[in-house]
């Protein structure tokens, strides 16, 4: 067991897979010689050499296109898009090419590739370097979407993503890069599409992903002090989605709160709310409540950004008020 | 001195062009009969480019094509009946009816896809070439696209990366002077949309008569050889012209009559036939090829028309490698 930061876990996860499988290669801007702008990939160039760890030009379409062409011809690329906002520059590759090609070719083409990207706010980077794009990604048929919230989950889910035969987008909450967590020794391999129940309580279910997970947990701890028991579910993966764990958790409390960093409209919680309303309506004792970033671009000033993203106090206030 | 390709190759170049010509004419007829639905983009008039490259390529080389990709798929040996059935949206189609005319793919024949977002497949071809280089397989990727694609960012990103990594990829711009309806010259800063950009990526400007199948074949061989021997990418601009409109039943009225006449007079297929006859190849041999091809296209059409529509189960299949489309438990 070791204490690792999330950023060190990224490096360890990539290295684990590159050691195991010669077909795994890493491509991205500043990932090789510089070790990544978030310092998530230092030492990989030294260990695996320039054939397998490649600095790319500022050409997001070429980075993802190259990963796709390589994946369909025998490699298992990991492509880094520096900030998830930049996915908009190469969204054609994600939404039209990578996600649709298997279906359009009736399964002739397989695309075992991983896109990793730093997602979400918290670093005061302003509107074009802070967005949470999980709701964009979840809307694309043919793309798997995972959001590991801890260093151990990152390693295990990244490994699962690399070994998955289909394209997987791994959204790394950039606010969590410096956060430490316990990581077991040895090889870690997780399963895509399994949520985790982090704590249980009888009064409300909080569902979160990514950087909102630790906030939901802290909020639950605070509410417990006031005698309100919360079940907290970390979905970990939006596609595939572990609906069973979600429905079980809702059945146990009768109240559902989503904690979402993405902007309000069509955020992932809307789909969750719809599923629960359709399939667990009798279990609900009150309305489903979504706690999200407002439907705005993220502001830069620290005070404003803190107001925008769901905070521990906003979560507790919202839940306590709703429970009455 | 005789620079002509050997006789077998000449006949192959002829046959492949005729195959595309007869197939495309049939596809057009079937479109007018509402058997080919949606849209289709034909290579009538542009046959020499696909035929020249198809003949020069190695069996395991990769083809990346556009929505105008019937020709590029057929010349790699993809079964004509399955291609026709795909156009008709039938169960026996190359992709079971899920791709259609614009997305013909036959991985078994090295056709890694036909892409309908202009320019998108150039970076993807770069990736296949990267993989070939990484694996040391000696394969090359050939990527076909139109003049219009030279003005989209993906073109430039792909050219640069291919050049930086010296990848075994051949970019083939089929300059047919028009995008959909707009002349390329009216929206492009340089007269040769591909060749004039080559220097920006440290490449030679290669322009070839795209209606001369032997000229195309020669350029293709040289570019593939360069790719396989570590010389890096090539950018070829092949000058050509569509005989018909951009797609479907577009009559192409936006093109001046004189221009159309001039290019029709330079028909790659009949022009090559005349050249072979002048070289002393007996007309009977060429006629036999014509007859065989027509019979093959007839048989493919009959088979496609007789085939059932896709099984409904196909709808929810092959989103994922497990064969299904499930996103939840
Ligand atoms: C990104 C994108 N923009 C626009 C279109 C619509 N479109 C389809 S074909 C075409 C013209 C392409 O012209 P060119 O590259 O010269 O190829 P050609 O059709 O002449 O073979 C356009 C604009 C598209 N498919 N993709
Ligand atoms: Mg054109």
């Amino acid at each position: 067991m070791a204490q690792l930061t999330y950023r060190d876990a990224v490096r360890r996860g990539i290295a684990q897979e590159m050691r195991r499988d010669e077909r795994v290669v890493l491509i991205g801007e500043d990932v090789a010689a510089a070790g990544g702008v978030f310092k998530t990939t230092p030492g990989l160039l030294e260990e695996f050499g320039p054939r397998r760890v490649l600095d790319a030009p500022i050409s997001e379409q070429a980075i993802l296109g190259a990963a796709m062409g390589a994946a369909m011809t025998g490699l298992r690329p990991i492509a880094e898009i520096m900030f998830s906002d930049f996915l908009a520059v190469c969204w054609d590759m994600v939404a039209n090419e990578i996600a649709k090609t298997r279906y359009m070719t009736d399964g002739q083409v397989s695309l075992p590739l991983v896109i990793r990207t730093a997602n979400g706010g918290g670093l005061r980077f302003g509107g074009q370097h802070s967005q949470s794009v999980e709701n964009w990604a979840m809307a694309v048929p043919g793309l798997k979407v995972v959001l590991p919230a801890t260093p151990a989950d990152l390693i295990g889910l990244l490994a699962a993503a690399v070994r998955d035969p289909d394209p997987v987008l791994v959204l790394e909450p950039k606010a969590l890069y410096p956060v430490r967590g316990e990581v077991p020794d040895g090889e870690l391999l997780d399963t895509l599409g399994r949520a985790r129940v982090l704590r249980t309580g009888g009064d409300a279910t909080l569902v979160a992903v990514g950087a909102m997970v630790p906030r939901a947990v802290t909020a639950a701890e605070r509410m417990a002090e006031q005698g309100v028991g919360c079940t907290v579910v970390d979905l970990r993966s939006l596609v595939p989605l572990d609906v069973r764990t979600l429905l079980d958790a809702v059945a146990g409390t009768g109240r559902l709160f989503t904690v979402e960093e993405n902007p309000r409209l069509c955020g992932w919680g809307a789909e969750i709310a719809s599923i629960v309303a359709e399939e667990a309506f009798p279990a609900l004792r009150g309305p489903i409540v979504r706690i999200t970033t407002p439907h705005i671009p993220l502001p830069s000033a620290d005070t404003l950004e803190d107001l925008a993203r769901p905070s521990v106090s906003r979560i507790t206030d919202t839940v306590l008020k709703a429970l009455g | 001195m005789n620079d002509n390709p050997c006789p077998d190759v000449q006949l192959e170049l002829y046959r492949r062009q005729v195959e595309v010509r007869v197939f495309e004419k049939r596809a057009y007829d079937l479109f007018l009969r509402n058997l080919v639905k949606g849209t289709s983009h034909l290579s009538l008039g542009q046959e020499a480019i696909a035929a020249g490259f198809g003949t020069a390529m190695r069996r395991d080389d990769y083809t990346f094509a556009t929505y105008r990709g019937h020709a590029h798929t057929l010349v790699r040996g993809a079964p004509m009946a399955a291609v026709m059935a795909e156009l008709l949206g039938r169960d026996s189609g190359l992709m079971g009816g899920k791709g259609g005319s614009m997305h013909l793919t036959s991985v078994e024949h090295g056709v890694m896809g036909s892409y309908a977002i202009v320019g998108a497949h150039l970076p993807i071809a770069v990736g296949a070439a990267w993989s070939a280089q990484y694996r040391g397989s000696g394969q090359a990727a050939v990527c076909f696209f139109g003049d219009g694609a030279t003005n989209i960012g993906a073109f430039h990103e792909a050219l640069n990366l291919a050049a930086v990594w010296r990848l075994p990829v051949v970019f083939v711009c089929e300059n047919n002077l028009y995008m959909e309806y707009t002349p390329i010259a009216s929206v492009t800063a340089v007269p040769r949309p591909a060749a004039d950009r080559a220097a920006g990526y440290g490449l030679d400007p290669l322009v070839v008569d795209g209606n001369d199948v032997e000229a195309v074949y020669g350029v293709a061989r040289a570019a593939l050889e360069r790719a396989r021997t570590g010389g890096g990418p090539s950018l070829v601009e092949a000058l050509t012209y569509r005989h018909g409109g951009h797609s479907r039943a577009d009559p192409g009225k936006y093109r001046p009559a004189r221009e159309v006449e001039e290019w029709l007079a330079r028909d790659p297929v009949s022009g090559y036939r005349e050249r072979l006859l002048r070289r002393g190849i007996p007309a009977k041999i060429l006629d036999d090829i014509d007859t065989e091809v027509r019979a093959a296209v007839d048989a493919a059409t009959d088979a496609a028309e007789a085939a059932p529509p896709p099984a409904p189960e196909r709808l929810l299949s092959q989103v994922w490698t497990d064969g299904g489309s499930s996103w939840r438990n």
Side-chain angles (χ1 to χ4, degrees):
Chain A
M1 202 64 106
Q3 284 278 329
L4 280 190
T5 60
Y6 196 101
R7 71 160 47 81
D8 288 340
V10 173
R11 187 187 45 70
R12 183 167 138 190
I14 296 171
Q16 171 186 301
E17 293 308 295
M18 292 189 74
R19 278 179 208 133
R20 186 186 57 81
D21 187 345
E22 177 82 14
R23 298 168 302 173
V24 179
V25 291
L26 175 68
I27 175 177
E29 292 159 21
D30 298 308
V31 298
V37 293
F38 290 105
K39 290 286 170 267
T40 51
T41 56
L44 295 175
L45 173 65
E46 289 71 14
E47 178 171 355
F48 300 103
R51 233 179 109 245
R52 297 183 66 194
V53 181
L54 297 100
D55 279 325
I58 306 169
S59 300
E60 277 76 10
Q61 294 186 74
I63 291 170
L64 293 193
M68 175 173 172
M72 66 167 73
T73 55
L75 302 193
R76 291 190 162 243
I78 302 173
E80 176 177 309
I81 298 296
M82 193 184 284
F83 286 77
S84 63
D85 312 66
F86 307 167
L87 283 168
V89 171
C90 50
W91 200 240
D92 173 52
M93 285 296 164
V94 177
N96 283 318
E97 316 300 337
I98 289 170
K100 290 179 182 170
T101 293
R102 177 171 193 88
Y103 185 82
M104 293 197 303
T105 63
D106 197 30
Q108 289 186 54
V109 171
S110 290
L111 293 170
L113 65 86
V114 172
I115 305 167
R116 302 176 32 243
T117 187
N119 187 52
L123 272 66
R124 301 23 176 140
F125 282 168
Q128 295 182 336
H129 291 71
S130 304
Q131 186 152 346
S132 284
V133 304
E134 50 270 26
N135 57 333
W136 299 358
M138 194 185 184
V140 177
L143 188 65
K144 296 180 180 174
V145 185
V146 302
L147 298 95
T150 67
D153 273 6
L154 181 280
I155 297 172
L157 290 172
L158 182 69
V162 169
R163 299 182 204 189
D164 196 272
D166 296 311
V168 184
L169 175 65
V170 178
L171 295 168
E172 300 168 3
K174 66 172 85 70
L176 299 185
Y177 280 137
V179 175
R180 282 176 194 280
E182 296 233 312
V183 178
D185 298 329
E187 185 183 275
L188 297 190
L189 176 62
D190 210 325
T191 308
L192 303 183
R194 280 219 194 125
R196 180 176 293 134
V197 178
L198 298 175
R199 56 182 286 142
T200 50
D203 300 311
T205 297
L206 310 186
V207 180
V209 291
M212 295 299 103
V213 171
R215 293 184 177 202
V217 169
T218 307
E221 285 164 357
R222 296 223 180 127
M223 287 186 277
E225 288 161 16
Q226 300 176 43
V228 174
C230 292
T231 293
V232 178
V233 179
D234 176 2
L235 288 174
R236 307 200 311 147
S237 157
L238 293 176
V239 183
L241 185 65
D242 185 354
V243 174
R244 243 177 271 152
T245 300
L246 171 74
L247 294 180
D248 284 351
V250 173
T253 64
R255 291 303 301 263
L256 172 64
F257 297 83
T258 63
V259 187
E260 306 169 49
E261 190 174 349
N262 52 210
R264 176 87 191 181
L265 296 189
C266 302
W268 58 263
E271 186 60 45
I272 299 292
S274 145
I275 292 169
V276 170
E278 266 187 63
E279 301 179 30
F281 192 70
L284 290 173
R285 292 186 287 109
I288 299 167
V289 178
R290 295 179 55 211
I291 303 163
T292 75
T293 295
H295 206 58
I296 54 170
L298 273 204
S300 168
D302 50 0
T303 51
L304 291 178
E305 192 186 39
D306 289 343
L307 278 177
R309 300 166 72 231
S311 61
V312 171
S313 57
R314 175 137 68 98
I315 298 167
T316 50
D317 292 352
T318 308
V319 173
L320 293 175
K321 192 168 155 228
L323 294 181
Chain B
M1 206 189 86
N2 185 355
D3 280 342
N4 301 334
C6 69
D8 283 358
V9 169
Q10 294 181 34
L11 293 182
E12 203 174 327
L13 292 169
Y14 179 73
R15 177 188 293 272
R16 289 195 161 138
Q17 288 194 94
V18 173
E19 271 170 8
V20 175
R21 171 65 51 94
V22 178
F23 182 94
E24 294 287 61
K25 282 190 159 165
R26 181 62 52 83
Y28 187 69
D29 292 344
L30 295 172
F31 181 82
L32 294 180
R33 287 175 52 205
N34 200 29
L35 283 166
V36 174
K37 313 244 168 63
T39 189
S40 59
H41 307 74
L42 307 179
S43 285
L44 290 170
Q46 305 184 196
E47 295 89 344
I49 301 166
F53 269 89
T55 305
M57 287 168 77
R58 217 166 79 174
R59 271 188 74 87
D60 61 347
D61 285 340
Y62 299 122
T63 291
F64 289 83
T66 69
Y67 49 87
R68 196 183 299 290
H70 306 172
H72 313 81
T73 304
L74 289 171
V75 299
R76 297 302 308 280
M80 200 179 261
V83 177
M84 193 63 91
E86 187 64 31
L87 266 50
L88 268 64
R90 302 302 164 103
D91 199 62
S92 56
L94 204 52
M95 297 92 73
K98 288 160 81 172
S101 162
M102 296 204 281
H103 300 294
L104 296 177
T105 303
S106 185
V107 168
E108 197 190 330
H109 300 92
V111 183
M112 305 308 289
S114 303
Y115 298 81
I117 305 296
V118 167
H121 61 312
L122 280 82
I124 303 168
V126 165
W130 169 33
S131 151
Q133 183 190 65
Y134 184 89
R135 291 178 285 113
S137 67
Q139 295 162 287
V142 180
C143 182
F144 301 91
F145 52 92
D147 42 279
T150 63
N151 288 327
I152 200 163
F155 168 89
H156 299 274
E157 293 193 14
L159 262 290
N160 181 60
L161 192 57
V164 170
W165 288 354
R166 290 181 82 82
L167 294 176
V169 53
V170 184
F171 299 101
V172 185
C173 175
E174 303 191 23
N175 181 357
N176 60 12
L177 309 187
Y178 290 82
M179 305 186 292
E180 290 194 42
Y181 313 124
T182 304
I184 188 70
S186 69
V187 295
T188 307
V190 288
R192 291 264 173 262
D196 287 346
R197 266 77 174 255
Y201 305 103
L203 302 175
D204 292 334
L206 300 175
V207 180
V208 63
D209 178 353
N211 283 19
D212 177 343
V213 74
E214 288 186 2
V216 172
Y217 176 72
V219 167
R221 281 182 40 125
L224 288 165
E225 171 70 12
R226 170 183 154 97
R228 278 191 237 290
T229 53
S234 302
L235 173 59
V236 177
E237 180 168 334
L239 304 179
T240 187
Y241 202 74
R242 346 173 200 100
H243 283 181
H246 168 71
S247 65
R248 302 201 280 178
D250 166 28
K253 287 267 191 279
Y254 42 87
R255 306 188 303 182
R258 271 276 312 269
E259 181 184 280
V260 176
E261 266 165 45
E262 271 171 34
W263 281 94
L264 284 175
R266 298 178 47 197
D267 178 27
V269 185
S270 59
Y272 194 52
R273 182 185 168 91
E274 278 154 32
R275 195 191 303 177
L276 294 184
L277 291 173
R278 278 199 304 278
R279 281 193 195 141
I281 293 189
K284 166 95 171 64
I285 291 183
L286 303 181
D287 291 343
D288 285 351
I289 290 176
D290 293 355
T291 308
E292 280 167 36
V293 168
R294 234 171 273 125
V297 173
D298 284 344
T301 310
D302 291 346
E305 284 196 51
E313 303 84 79
R314 283 194 190 274
L315 180 67
L316 299 182
S317 72
Q318 294 297 351
V319 170
W320 311 122
T321 302
D322 68 9
S325 59
S326 170
W327 51 269
R328 58 170 283 182
N329 60 10

